[in-house]
Amino acid sequence: MIAVALATAPAAAIAARSVHTARIVHSARPHLPDARRIPYPRLAWPLEISGSQYVPVAWADIAGWSQDDHLQAYRAFRVSCRPIAAQRNLPADHKALGISLRDPCRAAKALDISDGVKARAFFEERFLPLRISRLGEDDGFVTGYYEPVLDGSRTQTDVYNVPVYRRPSNLFVRGVKQSASGLPNKGQVFRKIGRRKLVPYYDRAEIEDGAIAGRGLELCWLKDQTDLLFTQIQGSARVRLEDGSTMRINYDAHNGYPYTPVGRILIDRGIVPKEQMSMQKIREWMDQNPDGAKELRRQNRSYVFFREVHLSDKDEAVGAQGVPLTPGRSIAVDKSLHVYGTPFFIGGELPIESEQSRTPFHRLMIAQDTGSAIVGPARADLYFGAGADAGRVSGRLRHNMRFVMLVPKSLDPVARGRKMPLPGPRPSETIAKLFPQADPSKDQQKDQKNGVKPPEASMAPGAKDTAKATEAAKKTLPAAAQPPAAVGQASSAQTAAANPVPLPEARPNIKSSGEARRPRYVRRYRRVR
């Protein structure tokens, strides 16, 4: 027992001394934080919307919020909530809001609000306002759209000879079943040749020249190609037939080519000034220049196919969410960034009354539709209804507006930000100067643009080691002992290699001298019990 006590005494003394030393160090440096756990815990990040910037705002700081008719916005929101509240066991959505709208939608489904004050309280109690815009910008951008009302026929005549096509059977969208009710307005689109071969689908020029004619794909016939072009831009239309009935058509698929605005082409060519651009100006120019209109249409290679929907004249058009749109309250947004049903408060001035008017516009809108030209976090297309009046208003909208996105309180970005781990301490100024962060891939791209080849790429495979050995030998000799060419090369190499971070020298390839290695003797001690 005495031997055991004497053996353990030094270990206990060392442990006590280390604990005492740690206490002294910790008391001397109380400002240092505790050690961080590695790996860092997985925490919920704040909202991540690609290419956007947002900041929380107070309800009182939103211009025009208290003057809006929140009851109309609440009714439009309840329409969007029908498919959202019915969702069950869905995976988490990759977009910012995801499936967080289900709780507010279920609450709206249980409430039958008929008062504007209560509707406003509903949004303020369940949502948080975020001022949102594209990264580096202050405001968003809005345009308008409507449902055209056109004259047409179910059969081809001398007056109605422009076909409106349904989706062809040989049109395929990558990743989407062909039996789907409606295909997305983005993505790769192919047509099938034979059993296996897939090629890009026909563009507008090929379809107008009759590439799919005579296959029984005609839904109806219109008067001219300009009516069809604007119907494809708007995504739906009401066709008044010769027997007095109305045929409703809606977007079903596209041919896979990106949408090119014809108005932008007229602006770039100097035909119509940018400040005067509107849908009416485009139509007037096309009516006055039939040959130029044909060439202008074909600059937009995108082509839209329709399906017939069974709606009455009193029903509004159906948006991409699958619910009827509300004039003055429904908007089309970028589906890749936002979720259908999201409320957006849009404020600013628009030419509602006339082309020169600056009518105050402060409304809570609901995202219920999308479009191929609607791209960005603060980009919206305002729906104004059907008919010529709605077309005149929507055709002259191209304005910057302020966007406030309403986010459910379960996604409060401020509360989530408090739980985010802080980054590690920055290196000292001296260390940062000695070891600057450089991206070698960018330097290599610059060299390739300038036509400079890497030094190793221009050598033969066997000459690389020889060149490295020669450079290493030159570094070991003094400058006076080197030949003039070598001295010049050394000075130029020093100038080229003036980087803050020096590269390690290549290890010389030294051959063994052939001497036999001396055996290594290890002393072994016998354990004495």
Side-chain angles (χ1 to χ4, degrees):
M1 292 177 61
I2 293 174
V4 171
L6 292 175
T8 57
I14 293 172
R17 192 181 302 111
S18 62
V19 171
H20 180 66
T21 304
R23 289 178 180 175
I24 293 175
V25 172
H26 184 73
S27 61
R29 297 183 294 177
H31 61 282
L32 293 180
D34 295 335
R36 303 172 70 179
R37 291 180 296 171
I38 298 178
Y40 297 148
R42 292 186 177 180
L43 301 176
W45 289 80
L47 295 179
E48 293 183 279
I49 304 176
S50 177
S52 71
Q53 59 186 17
Y54 61 84
V55 59
V57 295
W59 295 108
D61 297 335
I62 304 176
W65 169 257
S66 58
Q67 291 78 26
D68 189 24
D69 187 355
H70 296 85
L71 183 58
Q72 291 187 7
Y74 175 76
R75 290 171 178 170
F77 179 71
R78 288 193 71 185
V79 173
S80 284
C81 284
R82 294 171 188 169
I84 295 175
Q87 296 172 348
R88 294 288 187 276
N89 301 325
L90 288 178
D93 201 326
H94 68 280
K95 291 183 283 295
L97 292 184
I99 57 176
S100 62
L101 286 174
R102 284 194 297 181
D103 293 338
C105 280
R106 289 171 181 173
K109 184 179 179 181
L111 298 174
D112 189 9
I113 297 176
S114 58
D115 182 29
V117 177
K118 294 181 180 179
R120 174 184 170 184
F122 171 83
F123 289 109
E124 292 181 353
E125 291 173 0
R126 291 169 175 81
F127 291 91
L128 294 171
L130 299 178
R131 176 78 179 273
I132 187 171
S133 62
R134 189 188 293 271
L135 193 63
E137 300 178 1
D138 294 332
D139 298 331
F141 187 74
V142 301
T143 51
Y145 74 112
Y146 73 110
E147 188 178 19
V149 180
L150 308 171
D151 294 329
S153 174
R154 287 190 180 272
T155 58
Q156 184 179 11
T157 64
D158 294 336
V159 177
Y160 305 105
N161 55 7
V162 176
V164 178
Y165 289 118
R166 72 178 83 244
R167 187 205 312 175
S169 59
N170 63 342
L171 186 146
F172 297 88
V173 178
R174 187 181 298 276
V176 182
K177 293 183 179 179
Q178 196 178 17
S179 59
S181 58
L183 299 183
N185 57 4
K186 295 179 182 179
Q188 294 179 310
V189 179
F190 303 94
R191 61 184 175 93
K192 196 172 184 180
I193 299 179
R195 292 186 176 181
R196 297 182 179 180
K197 188 176 182 180
L198 296 176
V199 296
Y201 209 79
Y202 301 112
D203 63 359
R204 177 177 294 275
E206 293 172 319
I207 295 175
E208 287 186 1
D209 291 339
I212 59 175
R215 295 173 52 184
L217 300 174
E218 297 82 2
L219 284 172
C220 60
W221 302 78
L222 303 179
K223 287 184 178 181
D224 54 42
Q225 291 285 355
T226 303
D227 289 340
L228 176 61
L229 174 66
F230 283 104
T231 301
Q232 292 175 333
I233 294 174
Q234 305 304 321
S236 62
R238 304 184 185 193
V239 182
R240 293 179 300 200
L241 303 176
E242 295 177 315
D243 58 359
S245 61
T246 301
M247 178 182 182
R248 306 289 295 274
I249 58 176
N250 208 343
Y251 171 91
D252 192 33
H254 77 123
N255 63 341
Y257 293 91
Y259 169 74
T260 302
V262 293
R264 185 185 302 168
I265 298 176
L266 293 178
I267 294 174
D268 295 340
R269 294 178 178 178
I271 299 175
V272 180
K274 183 178 181 181
E275 58 275 6
Q276 299 180 9
M277 176 54 63
S278 66
M279 185 181 62
Q280 288 75 20
K281 291 289 184 181
I282 299 174
R283 183 179 286 274
E284 289 176 3
W285 187 87
M286 285 187 166
D287 293 340
Q288 297 171 3
N289 302 273
D291 296 335
K294 179 179 180 180
E295 186 270 336
L296 180 64
R297 283 195 317 269
R298 298 188 175 203
Q299 294 295 321
N300 176 28
R301 303 180 67 186
S302 175
Y303 197 91
V304 172
F305 303 97
F306 294 90
R307 69 176 184 273
E308 183 178 0
V309 292
H310 300 285
L311 298 173
S312 65
D313 293 341
K314 298 180 180 180
D315 296 330
E316 290 293 336
V318 177
Q321 190 186 7
V323 299
L325 302 176
T326 303
R329 293 291 170 176
S330 298
I331 59 174
V333 297
D334 189 346
K335 182 62 173 63
S336 64
L337 300 177
H338 298 299
V339 177
Y340 292 139
T342 303
F344 286 86
F345 190 81
I346 301 177
E349 294 179 343
L350 294 176
I352 302 295
E353 303 297 334
S354 64
E355 293 185 3
Q356 291 77 23
S357 65
R358 302 180 63 180
T359 307
F361 188 93
H362 302 279
R363 292 187 189 180
L364 183 59
M365 316 289 283
I366 310 300
Q368 296 175 333
D369 205 355
T370 188
S372 58
I374 312 302
V375 179
R379 175 73 173 90
D381 214 5
L382 314 182
Y383 177 70
F384 284 92
D389 293 337
R392 280 189 289 269
V393 174
S394 61
R396 54 178 177 249
L397 297 189
R398 293 178 58 87
H399 293 73
N400 295 326
M401 302 286 280
R402 295 181 298 274
F403 278 67
V404 176
M405 183 175 66
L406 272 58
V407 178
K409 286 191 174 181
S410 60
L411 296 181
D412 185 0
V414 178
R416 288 187 170 197
R418 295 192 185 102
K419 299 179 181 179
M420 288 179 59
L422 296 176
R426 294 184 62 183
S428 66
E429 216 172 302
T430 305
I431 298 293
K433 289 181 179 179
L434 291 175
F435 301 96
Q437 298 297 321
D439 191 354
S441 60
K442 293 183 179 179
D443 297 338
Q444 187 175 2
Q445 292 176 0
K446 291 181 180 179
D447 294 341
Q448 291 177 357
K449 289 181 180 180
N450 297 331
V452 179
K453 296 183 179 180
E456 293 184 359
S458 60
M459 297 183 184
K464 293 180 181 179
D465 298 336
T466 307
K468 290 182 179 180
T470 305
E471 290 178 2
K474 289 178 181 178
K475 291 179 180 179
T476 57
L477 294 176
Q482 296 180 9
V487 175
Q489 291 175 2
S491 61
S492 61
Q494 291 176 1
T495 305
N499 291 328
V501 183
L503 296 176
E505 296 182 2
R507 233 177 130 179
N509 189 10
I510 302 176
K511 296 183 179 181
S512 60
S513 59
E515 296 180 359
R517 295 183 59 184
R518 296 181 180 181
R520 185 177 178 182
Y521 296 96
V522 181
R523 294 183 180 181
R524 297 183 180 179
Y525 297 90
R526 297 176 59 185
R527 183 177 296 179
V528 181
R529 295 184 179 179

